[in-house]
Amino acid sequence: MMSKRTLILVALITLLALVLAGCSLGRESSSHVTPTPTKTVRPLFTSTFTPTATATPTNTPLPTETPLPPTETPLPPTETVAAPTEEPPTATPEPPTDTPQPSVPTNTPKPKATNTPAPPTNTPKPQVDYRVVEQRLMSKADNVAQNHMVLIRVEDAVGNALPDLVVWDANHPDQEAVTGSKPEPYHAEYLFWNYDGYQFEVKGANSEKTKVISTDVHKIPLEDLVSAGYCTDVAHCNPDDLVQHYCWYVTFRRTW
């Protein structure tokens, strides 16, 4: 049995020695290997025909691909938007068309009715029946005959003459003037038989009285003498210089 192991060991050693010897021979043979000759490339057949077109130069770098711009280029804004400014409204805003209905108050006390006096149905009667609407001295130019009388007219509210009315002075009851006894417009006449002062009224009616009327120049106001043309002004009007008789116009008008 020992001899068999010995034989195997010897065989392995021998095999190892052969391998090592082969590697050495390989190195020597590889160091003496002749290099393979390089083959010379034969030039291709070149044509003698010269093309008319210019040959494209060799080694010209090809253009690079320029990226295309985007197809949808945003347009610049056509209008510049200004900053909002507070401007006063140009027009008054219209009130809303739908007016909200006010809520109906509940339990609202009703105002008490006031006792408003009813307007009078009848127009109150004036305080007087006849008013004096004219009492003027006859002008110096008209009184050339130096009359000493009062020419009287009594008319209704619209100016129509009223006949059969008595005009008098209660302080001189013996004398009266009756309307309609003379032609219009002054259809009554009262004569002065003295230099007394008279205040005339319509007899039997609620009538106004005239101011004091007389044919005595000293009983006539200076303003009336100036208005009738007997004096130029009040300052230079001296009744003692005026010696003559005087005549008057008197008109009563009914108030209803």
Side-chain angles (χ1 to χ4, degrees), residues 169-205:
D169 179 357
N171 295 322
H172 300 81
D174 296 336
Q175 187 178 353
E176 296 176 346
V178 180
T179 61
S181 60
K182 297 292 182 177
E184 293 187 28
Y186 296 92
H187 54 165
E189 182 179 285
Y190 192 98
L191 294 175
F192 290 122
W193 297 106
N194 53 48
Y195 290 102
D196 293 343
Y198 293 80
Q199 287 187 285
F200 296 96
E201 61 181 330
V202 178
K203 186 178 181 180

Side-chain angles (χ1 to χ4, degrees), residues 137 212 214-222 224-225 239 246 248:
L137 189 64
V212 175
S214 177
T215 192
D216 183 0
V217 69
H218 294 90
K219 293 182 175 65
I220 300 174
L222 297 181
D224 290 334
L225 292 172
Y246 298 91
W248 291 80

Side-chain angles (χ1 to χ4, degrees), residues 72-143:
E72 295 183 359
T73 304
L75 297 176
T78 56
E79 295 182 358
T80 303
V81 180
T85 57
E86 296 182 358
E87 297 182 355
T90 56
T92 304
E94 297 181 356
T97 55
D98 296 332
T99 303
Q101 297 294 331
S103 58
V104 179
T106 58
N107 299 327
T108 302
K110 295 182 179 181
K112 296 181 180 180
T114 57
N115 296 325
T116 303
T121 56
N122 297 325
T123 304
K125 190 176 181 179
Q127 295 180 354
V128 294
D129 295 325
Y130 294 91
R131 296 185 184 278
V132 178
V133 295
E134 181 186 28
Q135 46 185 343
R136 64 182 177 89
L137 189 64
M138 182 181 289
S139 68
K140 181 178 180 180
D142 293 337
N143 193 21

